[in-house]
Amino acid sequence: MLVDTGLDMLKRRLPPAFAREIEDRLREGNLISLAGPHGNGVGARLDREYSVDNNGQEGEPAERSGIRTLLDWLASAYEEAEGISKEPQQWILAESADGALDLLLRALVPGGGTVLVETPAAPEALELMRRRGIRAVPVDCDRDGMLPDDLRRKCEAAGGRPAMAYVTPHYSNPSGRVWSRQRKLALLELSERLGLPIVMDDTASLVPFAEVGDLVTDREEKGSKDLLEQTAGTECEGTAKEMAGTEVEDLSKDLKENGGQGDTTSLDVLRQQAGLWGAEIVSLGSLERTLTPQLPLAWLRGEAKTMERLRRVPSLGSSSAAGAAVAERAGRLHAWLAQPPGRGSAAAAEAAAAYAARRALALELLQAPAWRGACVEDPGGGLYLWLRLPAGVSSEALLRASLLEDTAFLPGTLCYAKEPDDRFIRLTVAAHEPARLREGLARLTAALAEFTARSADE
């Protein structure tokens, strides 16, 4: 059974009796969770029949063959998408997306330290940093990514060089933002100047395998459109202002200067185009959150010297049994992706289309009267909707009400390194087929309506 880490985080914040009730309802199949970090993979199946073949090099163990063939497939897929070749020593496989990030934290931030993160930031990553005693420092953001001036200020406040910057620039977790080209270049320039390693986490998107064509590029025309329509756009403009820590009119100017466009070009490609060779990038990729949730596995790409540094850190799953498990998963994933030829890209395109349909369904359902005054934008890709609740509604209070209706979401308070904002929620709309998503949102809408009516009577 797939572990819902979103629910696990919630249970640690709730009274024990409430947490046990969640477990009981989840076990019975009654609870619909929109709190986790995964899509459901739109029916992708990796049965045991997809196993490691025995066509490895002479004298090569079958399990090593599974790792080698998957890395060869990934290297070819990324080279086709980016035009950049990576040598075998520039890749590492890890047992999961969280495991890969944990390895990076132990290697690059040993003994605790400072990591720059977005505002808001991926709650799963913040939780890993907290467990490791790492200080996550939030950088102000708007819809185009980290604000360069605040990024420089936070670097200076950390003594000129934080241990690393952790970013999710493509359909960000949780906000869904896609960074602009200019903001990515500003980060690369700072990385080169300060020797600041950048960890680019693409595990919440299907980039570079799909979704590139789904991006809404004319943001200036679209603006901060309130897709709930009742608020005529003013609420979403306020949201952009608060995320950025700047005035709305300044944001509009910035959008004009940047062309108002998000950009799914990878940092590796931009570094090459701009000649910023001193910028250090480690890319974290996986399909477990987007396409194959039943098969946890992740990969890291970076400079050979950085990868060697990671290899020297003992893995939490460094036993021979754990290594064999990673190799077995690698073989199964490669067999599924590669046969028949083109299956991987076709499945990614299918998932992107299915998730887009679910976002559209969710946005339609969120136009119910109970949601008047709320604000949400279609990010154009990814797994999540990032929604600001109507005025006066607390995300954590609404969570308790929604759990009574057998549905759950992730409160925005878990998505901030400092000064949590209780008005936002993350909805993982990619987690369920349309019928179950519809039922989950209907329950959440009922919980909101009851919560609002009860508050009005008090």
Side-chain angles (χ1 to χ4, degrees), residues 10-21 400:
L10 295 182
K11 287 186 288 187
R12 287 192 289 270
R13 297 171 65 91
L14 294 168
F18 219 139
R20 286 193 297 271
E21 188 171 351
R400 297 195 181 209

Side-chain angles (χ1 to χ4, degrees), residues 57-79:
Q57 297 175 356
E58 185 176 352
E60 181 181 42
E63 64 181 40
R64 293 302 306 168
S65 175
I67 292 175
R68 179 181 58 79
T69 54
L70 176 61
L71 290 181
D72 286 347
W73 188 93
L74 289 170
S76 177
Y78 276 89
E79 184 174 1

Side-chain angles (χ1 to χ4, degrees), residues 2-294:
L2 182 65
V3 175
D4 189 324
T5 55
L7 281 182
D8 284 346
M9 286 191 286
L10 295 182
K11 287 186 288 187
R12 287 192 289 270
R13 297 171 65 91
L14 294 168
F18 219 139
R20 286 193 297 271
E21 188 171 351
I22 289 176
E23 291 176 358
D24 291 341
R25 294 182 178 187
L26 188 63
R27 190 163 40 248
E28 294 165 359
N30 296 326
L31 182 67
I32 299 177
S33 174
L34 301 171
H38 300 86
N40 74 343
V42 292
R45 294 287 180 266
L46 284 86
D47 300 324
R48 291 285 171 176
E49 65 185 79
Y50 295 110
S51 57
V52 182
D53 61 34
N54 292 314
N55 296 325
Q57 297 175 356
E58 185 176 352
E60 181 181 42
E63 64 181 40
R64 293 302 306 168
S65 175
I67 292 175
R68 179 181 58 79
T69 54
L70 176 61
L71 290 181
D72 286 347
W73 188 93
L74 289 170
S76 177
Y78 276 89
E79 184 174 1
E80 181 179 352
E82 300 178 346
I84 298 175
S85 176
K86 297 281 188 183
E87 298 299 320
Q89 64 268 28
Q90 294 180 269
W91 293 82
I92 290 178
L93 283 186
E95 68 273 17
S96 66
D98 284 345
L101 179 56
D102 190 66
L103 174 61
L104 283 165
L105 293 175
R106 287 184 292 122
L108 302 182
V109 202
T114 298
V115 174
L116 301 182
V117 298
E118 295 163 273
T119 304
E124 296 79 16
L126 292 177
E127 176 69 8
L128 281 174
M129 293 176 198
R130 184 191 65 79
R131 292 181 187 177
R132 289 283 169 199
I134 291 168
R135 179 172 172 253
V137 174
V139 177
D140 288 343
C141 296
D142 61 21
R143 73 187 73 187
D144 274 353
M146 286 181 170
L147 297 177
D149 287 345
D150 195 56
L151 178 59
R152 285 188 286 270
R153 282 194 295 268
K154 296 298 168 58
C155 285
E156 293 168 0
R161 189 183 185 280
M164 70 182 205
Y166 169 79
V167 297
T168 58
H170 304 135
Y171 306 108
S172 176
N173 177 8
S175 70
R177 72 166 66 93
V178 177
W179 285 37
S180 71
R181 182 184 186 90
Q182 286 75 11
R183 296 296 174 80
K184 292 178 185 177
L185 287 170
L187 178 61
L188 289 169
E189 290 166 358
L190 198 66
S191 171
E192 181 177 62
R193 181 159 59 85
L194 299 180
L196 173 69
I198 302 168
V199 172
M200 180 180 71
D201 187 339
D202 267 340
T203 58
S205 79
L206 283 159
V207 175
F209 306 106
E211 292 189 327
V212 175
D214 298 332
L215 179 64
V216 175
T217 56
D218 192 2
R219 284 197 188 145
E220 186 178 357
E221 179 179 341
K222 181 180 179 182
S224 296
K225 181 182 178 183
D226 179 359
L227 292 170
L228 305 186
E229 294 182 350
Q230 295 96 332
T231 59
T234 56
E235 294 296 326
C236 278
E237 289 176 4
T239 301
K241 171 184 174 182
E242 289 149 8
M243 286 175 60
T246 187
E247 295 299 321
V248 173
E249 50 268 29
D250 292 337
L251 173 61
S252 299
K253 177 183 177 183
D254 181 68
L255 286 173
K256 291 177 182 178
E257 291 174 348
N258 290 346
Q261 296 187 1
D263 187 280
T264 54
T265 306
S266 76
L267 293 180
D268 288 282
V269 172
L270 287 179
R271 176 178 61 181
Q272 178 173 281
Q273 292 175 349
L276 296 168
W277 302 112
E280 182 179 353
I281 306 163
V282 180
S283 300
L284 169 54
S286 177
L287 294 175
E288 71 179 76
R289 288 177 178 162
T290 54
L291 195 58
T292 59
Q294 69 276 47

Side-chain angles (χ1 to χ4, degrees), residues 271-426:
R271 176 178 61 181
Q272 178 173 281
Q273 292 175 349
L276 296 168
W277 302 112
E280 182 179 353
I281 306 163
V282 180
S283 300
L284 169 54
S286 177
L287 294 175
E288 71 179 76
R289 288 177 178 162
T290 54
L291 195 58
T292 59
Q294 69 276 47
L295 192 68
L297 195 68
W299 49 89
L300 296 165
R301 302 184 299 148
E303 298 302 318
K305 63 179 181 179
T306 305
M307 295 296 101
E308 182 57 34
R309 184 177 173 186
L310 296 180
R311 290 187 181 95
R312 290 197 295 266
V313 177
S315 170
L316 296 180
S318 58
S319 68
S320 58
V326 168
E328 189 269 341
R329 294 176 201 167
R332 286 169 59 201
L333 181 58
H334 171 259
W336 182 80
L337 288 168
Q339 295 297 328
R343 185 209 296 269
S345 57
E350 179 187 355
Y355 294 163
R358 294 176 199 178
R359 286 195 309 275
L361 172 62
L363 291 165
E364 177 185 348
L365 296 173
L366 291 170
Q367 294 185 45
W371 294 98
R372 182 177 296 277
C375 173
V376 63
E377 293 181 338
D378 183 358
L383 308 176
Y384 316 113
L385 290 179
W386 182 240
L387 182 145
R388 196 179 84 175
L389 295 168
V393 179
S394 156
S395 66
E396 298 209 357
L398 179 60
L399 173 65
R400 297 195 181 209
S402 72
L403 289 170
L404 296 175
E405 298 285 344
D406 280 335
T407 190
F409 56 82
L410 197 82
T413 50
L414 297 177
C415 302
Y416 292 86
K418 291 176 64 177
E419 301 177 4
D421 194 325
D422 195 31
R423 299 169 301 166
F424 286 87
I425 64 175
R426 185 186 78 180

